[in-house]
Amino acid sequence: MSAGGFSAAAPEAALAALCVPFDTGVLRLPTDGQALFLRARAGVQLRELAQPGWLCEQSFLPFADELARCSLRVGEPAEGEIFPLVLLLPPRQRDEARALFARALDHLAPGGTLVASMAKAEGAKSGEADLTKLVGAVGNLSKHHCRVFWSTPEPHAVDRLLQDEWRALDAPRETADGWWSRPGLFAWDRVDRASALLAAHFPGDLHGRVADLGAGYGYLATQLIARCPRITALDLYEAEARALEPARRNVTNALRMAGRELPVNVHGHDVTRGLPRRYDAIVSNPPFHLGRADLPELGRAFITSAADALVESGRLLIVANRHLPYEALLAARFADVRQLALQDGFKVIEARSLRA
């Protein structure tokens, strides 16, 4: 991620491995310069390989912005649009990856080639097995602790029933606990313990316009609706586009269950770029890692954006892993910082009274 005073490294190993079949001549780039790159990430290797006709799809807004800053074309393929080459960086979550394989085939031209790259520690073996199950035999190679696998599938070899089944895996679904979500979102099939702890400490006197930063599928927002009757408007901010529809469904259900009419808006937005308006209160379970790497700068960027967007008497309530060093920044921005809870390795902090 970039923009908010910090940066997240692209998966350079996976990108480098993805380029190897082309660098060694095992595969060739299309002569017409057209390709689709699903879950694309910016990086030196991509800038060297990509051609002007490539379309890069990325649902996470900060990563999409990185691609655009590299002068790459970013967007979604039109329904029925096909390409002679489809590249992808499948995610670790298996249902999400299977849905991505199915979509990749939707946009693969007859005689075209699909190429995927995954780190071995991130499920490469399972990913290759799944693609083989879907399209038949695949080629492969290992490099940079990653596995690259590809196929130029014959139409008769593709399991179309399985493709339909896997394509549906990415649709918003209701979890066992009754939340709308989809595979691959943070804590997609459960209520995150940290978020539950924060919600349990929402003050009943929260009032006015409130924002939830990094809203995910909307759990915290539903708890604000249920627990805080003096809220007059609610905005959810989330950078992952795939989370927006589940969040809308969950807050709609929460309003119905509470018997409330409340202006609620769900925004696809990178919080680290700042917020467009002022708030009486802000709540957040800020992300602090990308992949498996801790990135406390991300949480600090959320705190900075929140402090910048609060009215003078506003309140910030956050939850974080107990080891994360947020207190110094909070003390620099707020005169009153209190720890409301310390439980199961998490801390809930309330900050009030903005410093001039």
Side-chain angles (χ1 to χ4, degrees):
M1 203 178 289
S2 60
F6 61 92
S7 128
E12 298 290 351
L15 281 172
L18 189 68
C19 297
V20 170
F22 302 99
D23 293 340
T24 59
V26 174
L27 298 175
R28 296 186 180 278
L29 294 173
T31 56
D32 65 0
Q34 301 295 308
L36 172 64
F37 192 177
L38 300 175
R39 297 295 169 88
R41 290 292 306 276
V44 173
Q45 294 85 355
L46 180 58
R47 290 194 294 272
E48 293 176 349
L49 187 68
Q51 300 180 9
W54 285 30
L55 175 63
C56 297
E57 181 185 275
Q58 173 54 253
S59 61
F60 188 53
L61 185 57
F63 295 165
D65 287 345
E66 282 187 317
L67 290 162
R69 286 193 295 273
C70 293
S71 300
L72 295 163
R73 186 164 64 105
V74 183
E76 296 184 6
E79 184 175 354
E81 187 176 8
I82 56 175
F83 300 81
L85 175 65
V86 178
L87 306 170
L88 59 154
L89 297 175
R92 181 181 180 86
Q93 210 287 332
R94 198 166 190 180
D95 279 359
E96 185 186 6
R98 285 174 164 177
L100 195 64
F101 287 136
R103 282 196 60 233
L105 287 178
D106 288 338
H107 296 289
L108 187 65
T113 301
L114 185 158
V115 188
S117 178
M118 299 178 73
K120 292 180 179 179
E122 297 292 325
K125 185 176 181 180
S126 295
E128 182 179 351
D130 282 343
L131 184 62
T132 301
K133 188 175 182 181
L134 188 61
V135 302
V138 301
N140 64 72
L141 60 82
S142 294
K143 192 73 172 180
H144 306 302
H145 303 288
C146 297
R147 196 158 182 86
V148 186
F149 44 98
W150 62 87
S151 176
T152 304
E154 297 290 340
H156 69 271
V158 177
D159 188 331
R160 297 298 178 185
L161 292 177
L162 188 63
Q163 183 186 5
D164 291 343
E165 178 185 326
W166 285 3
R167 188 188 301 109
L169 292 174
D170 190 46
R173 67 175 79 167
E174 202 167 5
T175 69
D177 294 330
W179 303 103
W180 284 98
S181 188
R182 67 201 310 176
L185 301 182
F186 172 68
W188 79 272
D189 58 350
R190 65 189 187 279
V191 174
D192 170 62
R193 288 185 301 145
S195 294
L197 181 64
L198 175 57
H201 288 82
F202 283 161
D205 64 347
L206 280 185
H207 63 277
R209 180 173 287 274
V210 178
D212 175 7
L213 308 189
Y217 65 74
Y219 169 76
L220 287 178
T222 68
Q223 300 308 294
L224 288 168
I225 292 168
R227 299 168 186 256
C228 304
R230 295 176 58 190
I231 291 175
T232 57
L234 180 59
D235 286 327
L236 288 69
Y237 291 95
E238 172 54 49
E240 174 53 65
R242 298 175 62 252
L244 302 182
E245 179 58 26
R248 292 188 184 100
R249 295 190 187 192
N250 285 323
V251 295
T252 297
N253 288 345
L255 289 169
R256 185 179 65 252
M257 292 175 64
R260 298 184 65 180
E261 292 186 4
L262 183 70
V264 178
N265 292 289
V266 180
H267 307 275
H269 181 73
D270 177 2
V271 167
T272 70
R273 290 185 176 275
L275 301 178
R277 64 180 310 154
R278 296 285 182 179
Y279 292 94
D280 298 290
I282 291 175
V283 304
S284 184
N285 178 2
F288 66 92
H289 59 79
L290 291 173
R292 296 185 175 187
D294 275 9
L295 192 67
E297 300 97 321
L298 184 49
R300 285 194 283 262
F302 269 54
I303 292 170
T304 296
S305 291
D308 290 343
L310 283 167
V311 300
E312 185 176 353
S313 59
R315 302 160 75 176
L316 171 63
L317 291 121
I318 66 168
V319 65
N321 283 43
R322 64 183 300 171
H323 73 275
L324 292 172
Y326 295 154
E327 282 78 4
L329 175 59
L330 289 165
R333 298 302 305 269
F334 297 88
D336 183 7
V337 179
R338 297 186 299 144
Q339 182 173 282
L340 302 182
L342 183 63
Q343 181 178 319
D344 299 329
F346 303 109
K347 55 189 175 185
V348 175
I349 302 174
E350 180 184 45
R352 309 176 70 161
S353 302
L354 282 164
R355 295 188 185 275

